[in-house]
Amino acid sequence: MKTAYLSLLAASLPAMNIYAQTSRPNVLFILADDLGYGDIGCYGAIGVNTPCLDSLARTGIRFTDAHAMASTSTPSRYALLTGENAYRKAGTDVAAGNAGMIISPDQFTMADAFRSAGYRTGAIGKWHLGLGAETAKQDWNGTVSPALESLGFDYHYIMAATADRVPCVFLEQGRVANYDASAPISVSYRQNFEGEPTGRSNPELLTNLRPSHGHDMSIVNGISRIGYMKGGGKALWRDEDIADSIAAHALRFIADATTDGKPFFLYLATNDIHVPRFPHPRFRGKSTMGLRGDAIAQLDWTVGYVMAALDSLGISDNTLIVFTSDNGPVVDDGYDDRAEELLGTHRPAGPFRGMKYSAFEGGTAVPFIVSWPARIRGGQTSAALVTQVDLMRSLATLIGTTIPQKVAPDSRDQLATFLGQDLVGRDYVVEYAANHLLTVRTKRWKYIPANNGSAMITWGPKIETGNLPQPQLYDMTAPWEQYNQAEEHPDVVNALQNILESELAPR
Ligand code: NG6
Ligand code: CA
């Protein structure tokens, strides 16, 4: 009798009430790609409006001194998802689309932490951390294994690498989505398949975008890419639909978890605003900056779309959203999309020097917003020094789960900082440039060790590397890392050099 009454009562309650009583929030982690510190409205963007991101910031905390661990995608994401800085692991440089799995299945990841706490876990969008047991050995026509289920993700709908790398298909649970049996898929990063056109040999087929450097291999959707692929047929993506596809799958994942009464962790990694920037026609002309700005508008739409989904499911209040970017911005990253000439006075890296790839702050300074209406007062700004590597232990604390002592060696529990209760943050953060130079930031200083490499990137993008044969020390209270004060402050240089040496020591 009592049981019947209770189940009747349960059935009459909306699904969310089952766990709204607990304090454990849903966690929606949105990771944009190549979005610079200055690229959204609430961080000073000019030439594009980002109303949804600005409203997210108004409901939560906007961090002004937040850092990605690395200035490119693969090492940055590796550190974020494992809590281990990328230089501790071989093979964490920018990965090819047929790279084998970079995080090993036996590593404990952020998703494992959520899964072990009873969350439904999902990864949707850009992956770029390798798939399968071995490079180039994946079965793209069957099941690619191991895939993200071995890293703690119950559900995964992902692009293997980036939109500018083959294979140009989504994989759902390790199998090519919309697989087209009439067009079996082959992938190679060594040689082309006989008779297949490339951007280099058939530029007349580049009806959507032409490369400015590199990106002259297989052509998919009128855009040439890095690497060679054959087949795919109906499974091949259309670049203009990628954002919609990611958003639709995110909505379904969130709705399913909510219907099942499960808290969720969703790693939502957008393709925007990485190259090739080719947003849906409804975003064309939304900015004054051409395709790059329009891709920012599309990114903003994606954020608004998932926020609206949370609202309509009645779970906005108890969903913690983190929004950030994997590395700093880049303007011309290899396609002729006029990003540079249309920039106007917009500054993608905001007040920082350098961009993606660089050892200067522009390489790793990123927008970072945390919102959780049930627990965080809106409209806050925090100047605390924070790094994405700390999210792993901090979020584990949030959901009351323990991470084994030996894993996530670089991740610290900074939950109080991320929730706005502590305004100081870390004593220092380390940052890893594309050329493997490790630099360090304290609240006051930025230190870049002496390095003999060239001062500008030599292979395409017009970006300062941050290399100088002398040590560099910048006062971060002054703008744009301009005056090297290393000679005036040998004691500071020494202390920061010691930090770097201790960070580089094995853990
Ligand atoms: C570079 C690509 C660039 C981008 C980057 C990785 C060339 C010439 N350039 O090698 O377009 O794909 O790798 O970007 O190939 S990231 O954001 O995924 O790290
Ligand atoms: Ca990136």
Side-chain angles (χ1 to χ4, degrees):
M1 181 68 187
K2 195 174 168 192
T3 332
Y5 171 76
L6 283 179
S7 62
L8 196 70
L9 183 69
S12 68
L13 290 171
M16 84 263 179
N17 279 359
I18 294 165
Y19 65 92
Q21 301 147 357
T22 82
S23 63
R24 289 193 314 174
N26 303 303
V27 175
L28 171 59
F29 183 80
I30 309 176
L31 187 62
D33 199 351
D34 294 358
L35 184 78
Y37 185 91
D39 272 332
I40 56 182
C42 54
Y43 283 86
I46 298 166
V48 62
N49 293 322
T50 56
C52 302
L53 282 160
D54 300 351
S55 113
L56 183 68
R58 277 196 303 277
T59 68
I61 312 170
R62 187 176 69 88
F63 288 82
T64 57
D65 206 356
H67 303 266
M69 193 270 141
S71 64
T72 55
S73 156
T74 304
S76 172
R77 287 161 202 251
Y78 177 85
L80 177 72
L81 287 173
T82 65
E84 176 178 73
N85 287 344
Y87 49 81
R88 299 195 198 287
K89 173 97 170 186
T92 50
D93 286 328
V94 174
N98 66 348
M101 198 123 91
I102 292 167
I103 306 176
S104 35
D106 56 8
Q107 267 177 281
F108 191 87
T109 69
M110 189 187 281
D112 284 317
F114 279 96
R115 189 192 256 174
S116 69
Y119 275 64
R120 174 86 52 89
T121 55
I124 295 177
K126 171 176 171 171
W127 179 238
H128 211 190
L129 285 163
L131 289 170
E134 220 182 311
T135 296
K137 295 278 162 60
Q138 296 87 353
D139 178 7
W140 301 108
N141 300 293
T143 302
V144 176
S145 169
L148 280 64
E149 67 288 335
S150 68
L151 302 177
F153 291 103
D154 299 322
Y155 176 74
H156 36 110
Y157 176 76
I158 53 159
M159 309 160 75
T162 54
D164 61 345
R165 285 173 173 75
V166 301
C168 299
V169 291
F170 274 88
L171 289 112
E172 188 168 32
Q173 306 303 83
R175 299 179 71 89
V176 169
N178 305 319
Y179 183 71
D180 184 345
S182 71
I185 298 171
S186 315
V187 172
S188 169
Y189 274 72
R190 290 172 177 261
Q191 61 195 27
N192 193 17
F193 299 96
E194 217 184 303
E196 294 295 308
T198 63
R200 178 184 292 229
S201 57
N202 299 77
E204 76 285 358
L205 299 178
L206 300 177
T207 47
N208 280 332
L209 272 179
R210 286 165 180 268
S212 58
H213 53 263
H215 302 105
D216 60 357
M217 295 166 234
S218 287
I219 303 172
V220 172
N221 192 30
I223 301 173
S224 48
R225 321 270 166 165
I226 307 171
Y228 302 101
M229 85 175 283
K230 185 178 170 172
K234 290 202 282 279
L236 293 172
W237 65 51
R238 285 176 75 237
D239 299 76
E240 44 277 64
D241 295 334
I242 290 176
D244 282 337
S245 175
I246 288 175
H249 284 80
L251 169 63
R252 194 184 318 146
F253 172 82
I254 293 170
D256 285 352
T258 305
T259 307
D260 294 349
K262 281 260 195 177
F264 66 81
F265 165 65
L266 175 58
Y267 173 76
L268 178 59
T270 69
N271 166 54
D272 292 315
I273 60 168
H274 199 277
V275 296
R277 303 168 188 126
F278 206 67
H280 190 271
R282 70 186 189 277
F283 299 104
R284 302 295 171 89
K286 287 282 177 206
S287 78
T288 58
M289 299 186 287
L291 291 168
R292 184 175 185 279
D294 296 352
I296 296 175
Q298 179 168 269
L299 167 71
D300 187 67
W301 170 85
T302 301
V303 173
Y305 182 88
V306 288
M307 285 169 71
L310 299 175
D311 270 346
S312 67
L313 291 164
I315 56 172
S316 306
D317 255 19
N318 201 32
T319 298
L320 183 147
I321 302 179
V322 177
F323 174 87
T324 186
S325 174
D326 67 339
N327 51 252
V330 52
V331 188
D332 179 349
D333 205 16
Y335 289 96
D336 188 8
D337 56 12
R338 303 180 64 213
E340 197 151 343
E341 58 183 296
L342 296 174
L343 217 45
T345 52
H346 176 83
R347 297 170 66 184
F352 300 110
R353 185 171 179 180
M355 293 201 188
K356 178 178 178 180
Y357 310 110
S358 178
F360 286 128
E361 282 295 276
T364 42
V366 284
F368 194 100
I369 300 169
V370 178
S371 139
W372 181 13
R375 294 285 295 277
I376 296 177
R377 184 173 41 82
Q380 300 181 62
T381 300
S382 170
L385 186 63
V386 295
T387 171
Q388 293 173 354
V389 179
D390 290 341
L391 283 170
M392 185 157 164
R393 278 189 189 276
S394 305
L395 292 175
T397 301
L398 173 82
I399 59 174
T401 196
T402 326
I403 290 185
Q405 204 56 45
K406 286 209 170 109
V407 307
D410 299 296
S411 186
R412 297 187 194 169
D413 177 1
Q414 296 283 149
L415 183 62
T417 317
F418 290 124
L419 298 184
Q421 294 149 1
D422 159 71
L423 296 176
V424 176
R426 276 229 185 193
D427 47 353
Y428 65 85
V429 304
V430 293
E431 305 172 307
Y432 193 45
N435 63 359
H436 293 180
L437 196 57
L438 191 68
T439 70
V440 57
R441 262 291 314 277
T442 62
K443 188 70 208 161
R444 173 87 190 267
W445 302 105
K446 162 97 182 191
Y447 169 60
I448 308 179
N451 184 55
N452 282 322
S454 74
M456 297 295 292
I457 289 179
T458 50
W459 48 267
K462 287 185 222 131
I463 294 176
E464 291 186 294
T465 56
N467 294 330
L468 205 71
Q470 298 84 39
Q472 296 172 75
L473 181 72
Y474 299 103
D475 183 343
M476 294 306 299
T477 61
W480 210 71
E481 292 154 278
Q482 205 168 357
Y483 304 107
N484 183 2
Q485 302 191 20
E487 282 185 11
E488 288 106 289
H489 299 282
D491 49 333
V492 179
V493 168
N494 208 17
L496 296 178
Q497 178 62 33
N498 286 341
I499 288 179
L500 285 182
E501 275 155 33
S502 73
E503 284 290 316
L504 284 165
R507 292 237 159 122

